[in-house]
């Protein structure tokens, strides 16, 4: 679902999700590309995700959940599904442990598939430069078909700035209410990118407080 274009705040902390929650409980899975190339290009991805997790506490239902998966050539669940209404802190990223220079979307199939549940709506947001293999139909387009077999309703991938990179070649993901390029070197901008993705996934507008 795409939302009408609305003015976005400069920072996620100045925003809230408008409207009322609807539908089954949500399980939001955030997959962070921790390959060495992505960590160099998006140095603020991890702190941006931390800020987003704190912001989530006041925006979703208490029984909605957040899970975090770190991936490169392989993937590991860093945060098992945790209720949004219960205080929690994200464990440190597993990047140094994975230590891979490349990354592939295929690595997410097993770990993320295991996180899907029949009693809730599971969605995936991928944080990456987009320089990864295993993209939908081998870069021929589409975003849902590739991972649909593991039980996801939707997959979103914010566009991040890296030497002018504004979109993933061959996979033109929806960018949210106001299409823009997010700066992966700025934690506040990364957090805002996640907020915009969540707004589109839930069908609720992201509005200035």
């Amino acid at each position: 679902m795409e939302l009408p274009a609305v003015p976005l705040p400069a920072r996620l902390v100045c925003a809230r999700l408008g409207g009322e929650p609807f539908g089954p409980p949500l399980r939001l899975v955030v997959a962070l590309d921790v390959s060495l190339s992505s960590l160099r290009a998006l140095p603020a991805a991890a702190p941006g995700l931390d800020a987003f997790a704190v912001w989530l506490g006041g925006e979703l239902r208490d029984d909605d959940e957040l899970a975090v998966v770190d991936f490169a050539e392989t993937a590991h669940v860093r945060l098992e599904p945790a209720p949004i209404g219960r205080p929690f802190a994200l464990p440190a990223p597993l990047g140094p442990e994975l230590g891979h220079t490349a990354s592939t979307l295929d690595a997410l199939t097993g770990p993320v598939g295991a996180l899907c549940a029949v009693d809730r709506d599971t969605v995936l947001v991928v944080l990456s430069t987009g320089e990864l293999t295993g993209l939908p139909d081998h870069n021929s387009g589409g975003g849902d078909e590739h991972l649909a077999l593991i039980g996801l309703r939707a997959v979103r991938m914010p566009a991040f700035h890296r030497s002018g990179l504004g979109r993933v070649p061959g996979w033109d993901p929806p960018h949210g209410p106001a299409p823009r390029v997010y700066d992966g070197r700025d934690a506040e901008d990364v957090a805002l990118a996640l907020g915009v993705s969540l707004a589109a996934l839930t069908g609720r507008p992201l509005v200035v407080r």
Side-chain angles (χ1 to χ4, degrees):
M1 174 182 294
E2 286 306 306
L3 301 174
V6 296
L8 283 179
R11 304 170 62 197
L12 186 62
V13 294
C14 299
R16 60 176 295 273
L17 287 174
E20 296 296 328
F22 58 89
L26 180 72
R27 177 171 291 172
L28 171 65
V29 181
V30 178
L32 177 63
D33 186 342
V34 293
S35 63
L36 296 180
S37 58
S38 188
L39 289 176
R40 294 189 189 105
L42 305 178
L49 176 54
D50 290 342
F52 172 72
V54 172
W55 174 83
L56 270 182
E59 300 302 322
L60 295 179
R61 298 164 293 193
D62 288 350
D63 59 347
D64 290 333
E65 296 174 339
L66 172 68
V68 177
V69 178
D70 292 335
F71 78 101
E73 295 174 15
T74 59
H76 298 278
V77 177
R78 188 195 338 162
L79 177 71
E80 295 287 345
I84 297 298
R86 188 179 307 163
F88 62 87
L90 294 184
L94 298 175
E97 296 179 28
L98 294 181
H100 299 305
T101 57
S103 52
T104 175
L105 203 62
D106 291 326
L108 295 175
T109 303
V112 175
L115 295 175
C116 294
V118 296
D119 63 340
R120 56 187 57 241
D121 199 357
T122 306
V123 296
L124 173 67
V125 176
V126 180
L127 290 177
S128 172
T129 60
E131 296 179 349
L132 47 113
T133 61
L135 288 172
D137 296 328
H138 196 61
N139 289 340
S140 63
D144 296 340
E145 299 83 358
H146 182 69
L147 296 172
L149 292 178
I150 64 176
L152 293 170
R153 171 172 66 81
V155 180
R156 291 185 64 84
M157 187 169 180
F160 286 91
H161 168 75
R162 193 191 91 123
S163 300
L165 178 67
R167 63 181 59 188
V168 181
W171 184 13
D172 189 10
H175 297 166
R180 52 168 291 183
V181 176
Y182 298 97
D183 190 347
R185 301 163 299 184
D186 185 327
E188 292 181 352
D189 226 20
V190 171
L192 182 59
L194 288 167
V196 169
S197 294
L198 178 63
L201 288 168
T202 57
R204 300 170 60 190
L206 193 67
V207 298
V208 179
R209 290 183 188 270

